[in-house]
Amino acid sequence: MPLKNVLRCLPLAALLATVPAGAQNPQLIKEAEAAMLRSTRYMVEEVSTQGGYVWYYLPDLSRRWGEMEAYKTMVWTQDGGTVGMGHLFLDAYRATKNEYYYTAAEKAAAALIWGQSAAGGWNYMIDFAGDRSLKKWYATIGRNGWRLEEFQHYYGNDTYDDDVTSDAARFLLRLYLEKLDPKYKPALDKAIGFVLKSQYPSGGWPQRYPLKFDFNKNGHPDYTSFNTFNDDVIWENVNFLIQCYLTLGEERFLEPIHRGMNFYVLSQTGSGGWAQQYDGQLKPAGARTYEPAALLPRTTFGNALLLLRFYQYTGDRKFLARVPDAIAWLEKTRLPQHLSDGGRYTHPTFIDVDTGKPLFVHRKGSNAAFGFYYVDTNDQKLLAHYGGKTAIPVERLKEEYRRISALPVEEATKASPLRPQPFDGQGLPQGAYPLNRAAGSQPEAVTDSRVREVLGALDSRNRWLVKHAMISNPYTGDGQQQAPTEEYATSHAGDKTDTSPYRDPSDQLYISTAAYIRNMTLLMDYIKAAKPAPSGNNKAAAAK
């Protein structure tokens, strides 16, 4: 999911946009606020573990999952878990000014600070039972997640994958800025220091840090030290440092920000495309065994859009210079019609660096112990968990390039977060810039009937239960089946020893943090739409 956050850091004008006032039902607003509080009390007081969360729970809390099944002593850091819930609590506090939500955010922060490493970053999960328990999890559940190779080895360091460390740091930044409470400054400073010291001189960042080189999978070298675009590692760190510069006003952030943006120029290949990873010599490199050394159309599309953004940030036309090369490469590498699945896809996921031809990944076997991945040029029996083809809106990139490259520098950079205007709003500048995940996005136009539907979905215990959660087989031991079968070639999980997640097809109900966040956000959008839109400098204060 390398593009999930490309558009998150919008120009300042968009960041400060507010919800237009609507004709909301006052009684329904009261009912929504009451339901929000009841549901939150259940999540905080019944579901959380020391203030932290995973993604899914059985209703009786007897089993729980993050990206994989978790011990009862564990919480998940990744979005949707503790960090995502913390962001939601802050959003709810700002929407309602009810201190209960702020306290809930503080509890999530306490869990994260407990799990922050000595270096300053975070792993995918936190185990309150300590490393002894976590190492056991990696040696059993983690090791048998066939497709989740990032969990097959205990590194003992921190990750930027899936926005883990950068978003945890962003949440601490938001919480610190909310009331400028100094008790959060040490953990925040530690996290900022981690981001700064882990950046390479070339401007990129590794996937994990402090650097490790000790895990090889089927002859593939440890990839975690490579410069990593996958899952927006480099962009999320640049974005976080920009947010620190805006809110903290410290000019020390400018050099690493520019170095990070310059890495996009430095790493673009002569063909015009980008890889997901680059080794120490800045050569395209593979990662997990189903991620070959290759160029990727989706990474190229996302990086080209970011170059356009960087021009708007800086006014430096070097960020525009090779966008046409990226467009030309995307045009050149389109799938032929007979491989497009009736026009559903435009590009293969992977392109051979040397030949420019499509590469397709497959797997054989039944489990993590004896299953394996391989690459060829056959587009049949592609992986279910990692699409072999993708749809790239090249025309959108062309239009954005035409529009932005035609702008005069003054017009292009007028909303640059690197050139903020002198603060003349109410309050303090720390309150002028919203940092939550939804910043700049347009809230859903919520109708009364939709609100009633969400309120009606709460059960008698104030839970929004869902079906078809991502679950996994319970750990029963290492895989034994050695035959190179293709029975699981296109499935999410292998045999019963595979602990990789798959979607439960039954009618079993689950507690879902994603459903809670989604429904709470909808109710908050409804509440906020009833408030008059601020004008002038008041927009800055209201945005916080």
Side-chain angles (χ1 to χ4, degrees), residues 136 279 393 502:
K136 179 182 177 182
D279 65 17
Y502 62 90

Side-chain angles (χ1 to χ4, degrees), residues 375-509:
V375 179
D376 62 20
T377 58
N378 182 353
D379 76 328
Q380 301 301 302
K381 292 188 177 181
L382 299 178
L383 304 178
H385 66 81
Y386 202 105
K389 300 177 183 180
T390 186
I392 305 294
V394 180
E395 291 305 316
R396 175 189 164 196
L397 176 58
K398 290 179 182 179
E399 178 56 34
E400 281 294 283
Y401 173 73
R402 285 192 293 266
R403 182 181 68 83
I404 292 173
S405 63
L407 294 174
V409 172
E410 295 77 12
E411 176 69 16
T413 61
K414 67 180 181 181
S416 170
L418 302 183
R419 301 180 181 183
Q421 297 300 311
F423 180 74
D424 60 356
Q426 295 182 0
L428 298 174
Q430 283 82 2
Y433 310 103
L435 306 179
N436 57 312
R437 281 182 170 271
S441 63
Q442 289 298 316
E444 181 180 346
V446 186
T447 63
D448 288 11
S449 61
R450 184 74 182 97
V451 170
R452 291 191 178 96
E453 180 183 343
V454 169
L455 297 181
L458 272 177
D459 74 358
S460 60
R461 298 184 64 185
N462 297 304
R463 305 175 298 184
W464 281 297
L465 300 179
V466 301
K467 299 177 183 178
H468 312 312
M470 292 298 292
I471 63 166
S472 63
N473 297 316
Y475 172 70
T476 56
D478 295 345
Q480 301 298 316
Q481 297 297 323
Q482 300 186 35
T485 177
E486 292 189 346
E487 180 180 357
Y488 305 104
T490 61
S491 63
H492 277 83
D495 64 22
K496 291 297 183 180
T497 65
D498 183 7
T499 56
S500 299
Y502 62 90
R503 195 162 297 281
D504 183 358
S506 77
D507 287 336
Q508 170 67 53
L509 292 173

Side-chain angles (χ1 to χ4, degrees), residues 13-133:
L15 281 176
L16 299 181
T18 54
V19 187
Q24 268 62 14
N25 182 326
Q27 179 59 36
L28 197 55
I29 289 175
K30 291 180 181 179
E31 293 177 17
E33 290 180 336
M36 287 168 56
L37 188 57
R38 293 197 308 272
S39 179
T40 300
R41 286 189 183 278
Y42 178 80
M43 296 300 288
V44 172
E45 298 168 19
E46 302 293 333
V47 176
S48 74
T49 301
Q50 295 297 116
Y53 303 83
V54 295
W55 297 355
Y56 292 105
Y57 305 77
L58 284 177
D60 64 0
L61 305 180
S62 59
R63 290 185 74 195
R64 61 194 65 200
W65 296 265
E67 192 164 8
M68 299 185 75
E69 185 167 13
Y71 293 158
K72 290 184 178 181
T73 55
M74 293 168 64
V75 298
W76 229 249
T77 314
Q78 284 166 286
D79 182 45
T82 306
V83 174
M85 292 290 280
H87 279 302
L88 185 281
F89 295 143
L90 282 180
D91 293 341
Y93 172 68
R94 291 175 179 176
T96 67
K97 294 305 176 185
N98 188 319
E99 289 289 333
Y100 186 84
Y101 296 114
Y102 183 81
T103 300
E106 288 198 299
K107 290 179 179 179
L112 290 171
I113 292 170
W114 193 96
Q116 187 178 24
S117 76
W122 286 268
N123 193 19
Y124 297 100
M125 76 290 285
I126 295 165
D127 192 338
F128 288 102
D131 276 1
R132 180 177 62 242
S133 174

Side-chain angles (χ1 to χ4, degrees), residues 276-315:
Q276 279 195 133
Q277 292 84 213
Y278 291 81
D279 65 17
Q281 288 72 48
L282 293 189
K283 294 181 179 179
R288 292 169 291 191
T289 58
Y290 47 85
E291 295 172 317
L295 304 182
L296 282 82
R298 183 151 291 275
T299 302
T300 298
F301 173 77
N303 286 1
L305 282 178
L306 283 170
L307 288 182
L308 298 179
R309 184 180 303 280
F310 297 158
Y311 171 64
Q312 293 177 283
Y313 286 176
T314 65

